[in-house]
Amino acid sequence: ERPLPWGAGYAEVINAEKSEFNEDQAACCQLSIRRREPGLEDEEWLILCSTQFLTGYYWALFDGHGGPEAAIIASNYLHYCIKQKLEEVVGGITEARPPMHLSGRCVCDSDPQFVEEKHIQAQDLVVGALENAFQECDEVMGQEMEATNQTGGCTALAAVYFEGKMYVANAGDSRAILVLKDEVVPMSCEFTPETERQRLQHLAFLFPKLLDGEFTRFEFPRRLKGDDVGQKVLYRDYFMEGWGYKTVEKADLKYPLVHGQGKQARLLGTLAVSRGLGDHQLKVIDTNIEVKPFLSCIPKVNVFDLALHDIKEDDVLIMATDGLWDVLCNKEVAHMVRSFLAENRTDPDRFSELAKCLVCRARGKKRGHQWLLDESHEASYDDISVFVIPLHKRDEH
Amino acid sequence: ERPLPWGAGYAEVINAEKSEFNEDQAACCQLSIRRREPGLEDEEWLILCSTQFLTGYYWALFDGHGGPEAAIIASNYLHYCIKQKLEEVVGGITEARPPMHLSGRCVCDSDPQFVEEKHIQAQDLVVGALENAFQECDEVMGQEMEATNQTGGCTALAAVYFEGKMYVANAGDSRAILVLKDEVVPMSCEFTPETERQRLQHLAFLFPKLLDGEFTRFEFPRRLKGDDVGQKVLYRDYFMEGWGYKTVEKADLKYPLVHGQGKQARLLGTLAVSRGLGDHQLKVIDTNIEVKPFLSCIPKVNVFDLALHDIKEDDVLIMATDGLWDVLCNKEVAHMVRSFLAENRTDPDRFSELAKCLVCRARGKKRGHQWLLDESHEASYDDISVFVIPLHKRDEH
């Protein structure tokens, strides 16, 4: 085991009874973001500037489906896309406020005022770079996977520490939380067919051809059957957070665009997530219906400014795939984190040990053919990957 | 002055120097929601049931643009649409949990379980009814206004008290807040070209023809000009909450889909709101570009369950058009509400007096040609309408 950058801890477990391959993949590295003054040649730059690099740190988890390929490719590419997109805007990041023009040249005297009125800050450029990097990565993966005849997709959860702030970008159903001394701060939310129902239904409303007459965009509490035709049953359309009653027509008996409850919820009967990377070729089985138009590769980015908080030695960012969160809630994880770190103050590997401890807890114990969390609860049946990233005095590393 | 139902208070002021007509309109009434058992004839029903009506209460504000016509029509129709949509689902509202089938007939034994798994409650039917009512009202208004050759649109903010809960449905930039003893609870959020930028840009991305080559969907800190071409400038696309840099092309010099800051922000250079009723015929001046496809008539509905709170005598719901909120923030309004009501405990008209007091405060005082809030702040230049709705012991009325 090599130590991870930043002294972060990592652990994973393959659910051996489910599949041969680990569909979870992890990546972490230092990001060296090269600053280039426009108009300066490389050599001039090296001579003039001693601080020609800004250093960032990157950790990411990818949960694959339809095989581990997409997760493996994403784990090889995303950090590079992020580095590239950060380098494209780094000239604007190092200013107190990003300039209207990346060149710094002021075309219009009141440009700084326009930027200020829009409240644009350096951190908005990092957020924009992450959003663009996910999109770029998805495009590259599409080409790569088509060229090499690989299929599948993956979720992506990436954390980037840069210039004193922790950015968490999420597309999928992994989760990151900050466990601080007095507080647990969610740093991501999950994108599933359930949480994105309205977006998915709206797309099907705008482009009905995407469903090719095989699915209904309406949501019902259960799959309808012949007996329901003519009856008024509970339903929701794309514009509704509430519920209404709809007289059932024959077309409503089609399979629903979003169907199932909780972990069983599926998009087009096919996918359990609504955001992620890959799946460019994915079609609904036995049809010509493409799933990709309904998927989004855009992450939601949350920012945590470490300078605004009194960061303690045991404060950590926990990142994990759904294998962990399926069986442990934020509160349970936070409790385990706090008590483990309090009891293991001096262990130099305590963050790795904590990651292992979390993974083992979620995997549970084998009893006969079953893996159990405790007497009454089943353990996770999924791959489980966990990062534990300490936040304290990181700039000294 | 007739007393309003529920002892609510109302006040309005026309900004006489801005226009001749009050573009704000208000409405309030009791809603008698008729319960019909399926299969029962009207007369049977009247004989069998003494409680054949459920009583609700309704208050609404409409802020018109392009003339007062749409606001007037909406104030005449919306309560009726709401009554109708509530009556369509009332059979499901009176159950502890709405039944899968409105008829109450159970097609499938596990239907109640499906409904429970989806966490569908009676209040979701009211939310759905309000969402459907706004859409219905918009459709009726489109027909009515076309037939009578009227134009314009309006925002809509409606509060409905029904079965112990206060529902606030909002489409536009009016606002409702609950001022409780120890707490101020926002009951709506504003829908403007700025708050809905991503939705609007996404629609333009999906259907570029909607912009007819006259607008750009990108956001820039200011309108670009010839000098910017070839430069990298700050921009945002539909998928970005952050900002990036984009090399300016000639097409980027077009007028932006969403442009301007704060109160000056406009959709297609035309409208200051992105949700509301009407505007079916509205085109961008001197073009064939329709505004309606970008507008949404769907409200966001917030629910407040009075039974879960210890409602005090001075607790009120404040509803007001943007004329009030442009110059007074939630905190200032809450302070005025609390001190006014504390000082006027015995006045039977205190809620009306409070509404007047809020309107007068926002209108300010005339000094020469200017209306001033105080020495250093301008007063509202807009029409101002305010409802003050007491929450205490309402069921006894």
Side-chain angles (χ1 to χ4, degrees), chain B residues 34-163:
Chain B
R34 181 160 200 173
R35 304 167 61 179
R36 281 171 199 271
E37 288 278 301
L40 275 191
E41 295 297 320
D42 274 10
E43 297 117 70
E44 292 180 90
W45 184 242
L46 283 169
I47 294 160
L48 283 168
C49 302
S50 55
T51 58
Q52 72 269 45
F53 290 101
L54 291 180
T55 301
Y57 294 90
Y58 162 88
W59 304 263
L61 294 175
F62 307 92
D63 183 350
H65 50 255
E69 286 80 9
I72 292 169
I73 298 174
S75 72
N76 288 332
Y77 279 100
L78 184 59
H79 60 283
Y80 184 73
C81 296
I82 291 175
K83 175 185 154 76
Q84 213 174 18
K85 293 296 172 190
L86 281 174
E87 284 184 348
E88 281 178 21
V89 299
V90 71
I93 288 175
T94 46
E95 308 277 327
R97 268 211 197 267
M100 171 80 184
H101 297 82
L102 187 57
S103 66
R105 193 169 76 94
C106 217
V107 169
C108 167
D109 282 347
S110 46
D111 278 351
Q113 197 188 316
F114 284 111
V115 173
E116 202 183 320
E117 272 178 13
K118 292 264 181 191
H119 308 289
I120 308 172
Q121 303 172 327
Q123 75 173 38
D124 296 313
L125 293 184
V126 180
V127 172
L130 288 167
E131 291 164 333
N132 275 299
F134 272 59
Q135 203 174 46
E136 170 82 9
C137 186
D138 188 55
E139 225 177 285
V140 171
M141 284 174 66
Q143 295 158 5
E144 174 79 10
M145 294 178 81
E146 194 184 348
T148 56
N149 212 14
Q150 296 180 91
T151 60
C154 66
T155 69
L157 173 68
V160 171
Y161 175 84
F162 192 61
E163 297 288 280

Side-chain angles (χ1 to χ4, degrees), chain A residues 99-102 105 111 117-118 124 131 135 219 222 228 231-232 234 240-241 243 245 261, chain B residues 99-102 105 111 117-118 124 131 219 222 228 231-232 234 239 241 243 245 261:
Chain A
M100 171 80 184
H101 297 82
L102 187 56
R105 194 169 75 94
D111 277 352
E117 272 177 14
K118 291 267 182 190
D124 296 313
E131 290 164 335
Q135 204 174 45
E219 182 188 16
R222 63 160 164 77
D228 295 310
Q231 295 273 314
K232 287 188 174 174
L234 286 167
M240 297 165 74
E241 288 185 14
W243 289 80
Y245 284 101
Q261 219 25 50
Chain B
M100 171 80 184
H101 297 82
L102 187 57
R105 193 169 76 94
D111 278 351
E117 272 178 13
K118 292 264 181 191
D124 296 313
E131 291 164 333
E219 182 188 17
R222 63 161 164 77
D228 294 310
Q231 296 273 314
K232 287 188 171 173
L234 287 167
F239 60 85
E241 287 186 13
W243 289 78
Y245 284 101
Q261 219 27 49

Side-chain angles (χ1 to χ4, degrees), chain A residues 170-297:
Chain A
N170 184 44
D173 62 355
S174 296
R175 185 188 296 171
I177 64 172
L178 286 166
V179 180
L180 310 179
K181 185 167 186 289
D182 304 309
E183 201 182 357
V184 176
V185 184
M187 287 295 285
S188 66
C189 56
E190 286 91 64
F191 296 102
T192 68
E194 268 188 313
T195 65
E196 295 213 276
R197 169 187 60 87
Q198 289 186 277
R199 178 178 74 75
L200 302 167
Q201 287 181 310
H202 192 214
L203 205 65
F205 168 76
L206 293 174
F207 303 101
K209 280 189 184 162
L210 291 177
L211 301 184
D212 200 25
E214 302 267 2
F215 288 83
T216 169
R217 76 165 189 273
F218 296 113
E219 182 188 16
F220 304 100
R222 63 160 164 77
R223 178 91 193 264
L224 300 184
K225 30 192 183 180
D227 285 356
D228 295 310
V229 174
Q231 295 273 314
K232 287 188 174 174
V233 307
L234 286 167
Y235 88 108
R236 284 204 282 196
D237 199 357
Y238 72 91
F239 60 85
M240 297 165 74
E241 288 185 14
W243 289 80
Y245 284 101
K246 175 185 193 308
T247 305
V248 177
E249 299 160 36
K250 260 196 148 176
D252 299 324
L253 303 188
K254 291 172 184 169
Y255 201 85
L257 170 62
V258 175
H259 190 56
Q261 219 25 50
K263 290 307 287 180
Q264 270 67 53
R266 289 290 178 280
L267 164 61
L268 292 162
T270 305
L271 275 190
V273 288
S274 56
R275 296 207 191 187
L277 306 172
D279 289 316
H280 293 75
Q281 316 284 332
L282 184 62
K283 290 189 175 182
V284 178
I285 198 162
D286 291 333
T287 73
N288 253 321
I289 299 170
E290 293 179 37
V291 180
K292 189 68 173 170
F294 291 97
L295 298 177
S296 167
C297 62

Side-chain angles (χ1 to χ4, degrees), chain A residues 95-112:
Chain A
E95 308 275 326
R97 267 209 196 271
M100 171 80 184
H101 297 82
L102 187 56
S103 65
R105 194 169 75 94
C106 216
V107 169
C108 168
D109 283 345
S110 46
D111 277 352

Side-chain angles (χ1 to χ4, degrees), chain A residues 18 149 271 386:
Chain A
K18 202 191 73 172
N149 213 14
L271 275 190
V386 175

Side-chain angles (χ1 to χ4, degrees), chain B residues 238-252:
Chain B
Y238 71 92
F239 60 85
M240 298 165 73
E241 287 186 13
W243 289 78
Y245 284 101
K246 175 185 195 307
T247 305
V248 177
E249 298 160 36
K250 260 195 148 177
D252 299 324

Side-chain angles (χ1 to χ4, degrees), chain B residues 5-19:
Chain B
W6 250 42
Y10 172 72
E12 63 176 39
V13 62
I14 308 177
N15 194 301
E17 289 170 42
K18 200 191 75 175
S19 70

